[in-house]
Amino acid sequence: MPVEFLTAQHRASYGRYTQDPTSAQLARYFHLDDTDKAFIYKRRGNHNRLGFALQLSTVRFLGTFLSDPTDVPASVMSYVASQLSISDFQVLARYRTGESRWDHTSEIRAAYGYRDFNSQPEHWRLVRWLYSRAWLSDERPSILFDLATARLVKRKILLPGVTVLERLVASVRERVQERLWRVLARLPSTACQRRLEDLLVCVAQGRVSALERLRQPPTRTSAPALVATLERLVEIRSLGVNQINLSFVPPNRLSALARYANTAWAQTLLRMPKTRRLATLLAFVHVLEFTVTDDALSLLELLVGELLSTTDRQAEKHRLRTIKDLDAAALQLYKACAVLLDPATEDVAVRATVFTQVSPTQLTTALNSVIAIARPPDDNYYDLMLSRWRHVRLFFPKLLQTIDFEATALGVEILQALQFLKSQHEQRKPDMSAAPLGTIGKSWAKLVFAKDGTCDRKAYTFCMLENLRAALRRRDLFVSRSWRWGDPRLKLLQGDAWAAARANICRTLNLQPTPEEELKALTQQLDEAYRRTASSFPTNAAVRIEIEQGRPTLSP
């Protein structure tokens, strides 16, 4: 792992002013309160007062003292000097070359609680924080470096040299990486290790290793592609990694190892030390199972969507083909209805008059055409979908046998229906009398149920296929070992899972593990702020209390 990871620009900006601070930063870090001013006014001469104030503001903002304390942006100089009523900046030339600036740094450190980088226990706490952060996340070393810098500034720890902090970050990340390799390499059994190692070996019939073959994603949206993806998932599970509990390892760390294995050559992995190689392959197979499951369910969604859109296109074509016959039949019926509704035609003469306009044969033909062509408004032409039965039989039984669906309370009925289809897939004439019927809508009911009340297997299967797609989208159904289609509730840590992760997460976020300690600290800060404000209120010209409509208000 490289020790030097910072760019030249990043190094040059460390502990330095790179641009003018914003107005919010000026107000936060460069404002001098009454305590600061009382301390500053103890210095003799404007040069000492302005120089001392600049050093105090700089260490608050940058976390370190500058070798030239006057090397600050003009906006900072003006903002600090205006608070001290100093207009002549030339006095800083005397401060820059004087010896009092070194004494001022010691006084600021003693009065404001700034400590050296190597002081204990802060240095140990920083290392522990870096270790927890590196273990839980996969942040780049430069980001971890910036976060460590911000932490040091916040906790009033003077920044060390850039190479010192850079080496510390690199060494902690290396320790975390080596720990991860050792932990993962010990988990698989001897047989599982052998199967993982075999992934890197090219078979005799070709020049492609199993690793390269397994990591190839599907390239087509078709039933054979879905079946091939499901078979690939079965092969991945046969390696036995899914039997190993990896819940204690942060997912980001596993994903980082898997990403490397997903792009590296098999020969590169073979040259690794055994511990690292086994850890990398274990993480790769673990993540690959989730990824391939995602691929399979995504293909399923696309296939069902294509099936529904194809049905819609067929329905539209069918409608266009029959519209002329429907129009002709409607015109014949119009002639008959016009006579029926004509008040000038006597009731006894209606039939004879109608038959003079439209013969009985023509009228019968028109009625039959309307019955055959016209469809109710809620008809979705699902009967046209049934012609794709062989297409669905290619992948749907394999899907139910391979993917273990789970359900929330709203998806229990759909899950029961899928389990029923799974149990009946090998029977040529399954007993549909036990099929769960609670999720069959009105559009499907007329196709699923025959006139004698029996359940049609094909229509029932297509109905459940559409329900499966809708339930997956709503997350009423989910698959545990999946990223995209998993249970979103699992991302909320509860019970034992939260108790196990609490210490590391709180340490990473700079929080105490119990709320009482955090509330106590916040209470103390608020109390100090109120008392400080109250004590300086009589002499504070920027704020006053006014009585408006008999009620006191703070102004401005």
Side-chain angles (χ1 to χ4, degrees):
M1 181 177 296
V3 174
E4 297 182 357
F5 51 81
L6 296 179
T7 63
Q9 182 180 2
H10 204 158
R11 292 173 180 273
S13 64
Y14 176 74
R16 296 290 184 273
Y17 287 99
T18 57
Q19 58 186 0
D20 289 348
T22 64
S23 58
Q25 290 173 335
L26 287 174
R28 179 176 180 182
Y29 297 101
F30 299 90
H31 173 72
L32 303 175
D33 58 20
D34 294 343
T35 303
D36 297 334
K37 290 179 180 178
F39 201 57
I40 292 170
Y41 284 136
K42 292 180 181 179
R43 317 300 127 192
R44 292 183 178 182
N46 285 342
H47 65 290
N48 279 327
R49 292 171 180 171
L50 182 56
F52 187 96
L54 289 177
Q55 292 223 68
L56 175 59
S57 303
T58 296
V59 75
R60 284 175 176 171
F61 183 61
L62 297 179
T64 187
F65 295 102
L66 298 177
S67 57
D68 181 1
T70 65
D71 186 16
V72 299
S75 60
V76 171
M77 185 85 69
S78 300
Y79 188 83
V80 173
S82 64
Q83 298 178 73
L84 301 176
S85 301
I86 299 175
S87 57
D88 184 12
F89 299 160
Q90 300 300 324
V91 298
L92 287 175
R94 181 180 174 185
Y95 184 80
R96 186 185 304 114
T97 58
E99 296 296 327
S100 59
R101 62 192 179 108
W102 305 112
D103 297 331
H104 290 172
T105 60
S106 299
E107 293 175 9
I108 291 172
R109 292 173 60 177
Y112 289 89
Y114 284 93
R115 290 155 292 179
D116 288 330
F117 176 72
N118 292 320
S119 63
Q120 298 294 352
E122 284 299 329
H123 185 271
W124 173 79
R125 289 172 179 168
L126 173 65
V127 174
R128 185 181 63 172
W129 176 82
L130 283 171
Y131 193 92
S132 298
R133 186 100 193 184
W135 173 257
L136 291 174
S137 64
D138 185 42
E139 294 164 329
R140 296 194 304 272
S142 58
I143 295 179
L144 204 57
F145 180 90
D146 290 339
L147 292 173
T149 303
R151 175 187 167 91
L152 291 173
V153 172
K154 181 179 179 180
R155 300 179 70 88
K156 293 186 177 182
I157 307 298
L158 296 176
L159 296 183
V162 60
T163 56
V164 173
L165 188 56
E166 187 179 23
R167 286 196 299 268
L168 177 62
V169 170
S171 64
V172 169
R173 293 185 80 248
E174 185 174 4
R175 286 170 53 194
V176 168
Q177 198 73 274
E178 291 177 352
R179 173 197 172 190
L180 179 65
W181 297 338
R182 290 195 305 270
V183 169
L184 292 180
R186 289 196 300 261
L187 294 177
S189 62
T190 304
C192 184
Q193 290 183 16
R194 185 170 57 254
R195 290 192 292 268
L196 291 175
E197 297 274 12
D198 290 343
L199 293 177
L200 304 177
V201 180
C202 296
V203 296
Q205 293 80 5
R207 300 170 59 186
V208 178
S209 65
L211 174 75
E212 296 173 357
R213 177 173 52 80
L214 288 177
R215 65 188 180 186
Q216 293 298 321
T219 56
R220 298 180 59 188
T221 304
S222 62
L226 177 54
V227 172
T229 303
L230 294 173
E231 292 174 349
R232 186 159 63 110
L233 180 59
V234 172
E235 183 178 356
I236 293 170
R237 290 176 179 173
S238 67
L239 297 174
V241 172
N242 58 340
Q243 305 297 327
I244 301 175
N245 181 19
L246 297 177
S247 59
F248 65 95
V249 182
N252 290 335
R253 305 302 306 176
L254 293 173
S255 298
L257 282 177
R259 282 196 302 270
Y260 180 79
N262 201 42
T263 56
W265 293 97
Q267 292 81 0
T268 303
L269 298 178
L270 279 171
R271 289 193 292 268
M272 288 181 177
K274 184 176 181 180
T275 300
R276 182 182 179 184
R277 181 170 65 251
L278 285 175
T280 303
L281 291 174
L282 179 67
F284 167 74
V285 174
H286 172 79
V287 173
L288 186 63
E289 181 181 355
F290 285 70
T291 303
V292 175
T293 302
D294 285 349
D295 292 342
L297 294 177
S298 297
L299 277 176
L300 172 68
E301 184 192 25
L302 293 174
L303 285 175
V304 178
E306 182 182 357
L307 183 63
L308 294 172
S309 61
T310 300
T311 302
D312 291 339
R313 290 194 298 270
Q314 290 177 344
E316 185 177 353
K317 291 180 180 180
H318 176 76
R319 190 75 173 174
L320 291 175
R321 285 197 305 267
T322 59
I323 193 68
K324 290 184 178 180
D325 296 334
L326 184 61
D327 288 345
L331 290 175
Q332 297 288 344
L333 295 177
Y334 166 76
K335 294 178 181 180
C337 291
V339 175
L340 181 64
L341 297 175
D342 186 2
T345 304
E346 296 182 2
D347 292 345
V348 296
V350 167
R351 185 184 296 270
T353 306
V354 167
F355 288 159
T356 61
Q357 300 290 328
V358 185
S359 68
T361 303
Q362 291 175 329
L363 191 59
T364 302
T365 303
L367 287 172
N368 292 335
S369 297
V370 170
I371 293 173
I373 298 173
R375 290 176 177 261
D378 60 345
D379 193 315
N380 294 318
Y381 288 85
Y382 284 147
D383 55 321
L384 299 178
M385 192 187 301
L386 300 182
S387 62
R388 305 292 300 277
W389 172 250
R390 290 188 177 181
H391 175 75
V392 171
R393 287 287 294 174
L394 288 176
F395 66 86
F396 196 42
K398 181 73 172 179
L399 177 80
L400 297 179
Q401 292 295 320
T402 306
I403 304 294
D404 295 324
F405 293 100
E406 299 177 59
T408 63
L410 296 177
V412 171
E413 291 185 339
I414 300 175
L415 180 60
Q416 291 174 349
L418 294 176
Q419 291 173 345
F420 170 78
L421 289 175
K422 178 180 178 180
S423 64
Q424 302 291 324
H425 81 283
E426 294 182 353
Q427 302 181 20
R428 297 186 60 183
K429 295 182 179 180
D431 181 13
M432 300 298 294
S433 61
L437 307 176
T439 61
I440 299 176
K442 294 181 179 179
S443 299
W444 277 107
K446 55 188 176 183
L447 294 175
V448 173
F449 302 113
K451 293 182 179 180
D452 57 358
T454 58
C455 181
D456 182 78
R457 178 189 184 186
K458 293 182 180 180
Y460 184 83
T461 300
F462 278 99
C463 177
M464 291 306 121
L465 185 61
E466 185 184 32
N467 288 343
L468 169 61
R469 178 176 182 255
L472 283 173
R473 286 184 163 188
R474 296 191 305 265
R475 297 302 186 271
D476 291 343
L477 290 182
F478 59 88
V479 179
S480 294
R481 303 183 73 81
S482 170
W483 304 124
R484 180 182 178 186
W485 307 100
D487 185 1
R489 299 172 300 179
L490 295 179
K491 298 180 181 179
L492 302 175
L493 295 180
Q494 301 178 24
D496 295 339
W498 165 241
R502 180 202 295 265
N504 280 334
I505 292 177
C506 290
R507 187 179 302 125
T508 302
L509 299 176
N510 290 325
L511 296 175
Q512 297 295 332
T514 57
E516 290 77 11
E517 297 180 29
E518 288 292 335
L519 290 174
K520 182 179 179 180
L522 292 174
T523 301
Q524 182 178 355
Q525 292 178 21
L526 183 61
D527 181 69
E528 292 175 354
Y530 273 125
R531 294 181 183 277
R532 184 169 59 251
T533 303
S535 63
S536 62
F537 186 80
T539 59
N540 191 345
V543 65
R544 62 185 180 274
I545 292 180
E546 297 179 348
I547 304 299
E548 295 182 0
Q549 299 179 356
R551 303 177 64 180
T553 60
L554 202 62
S555 177

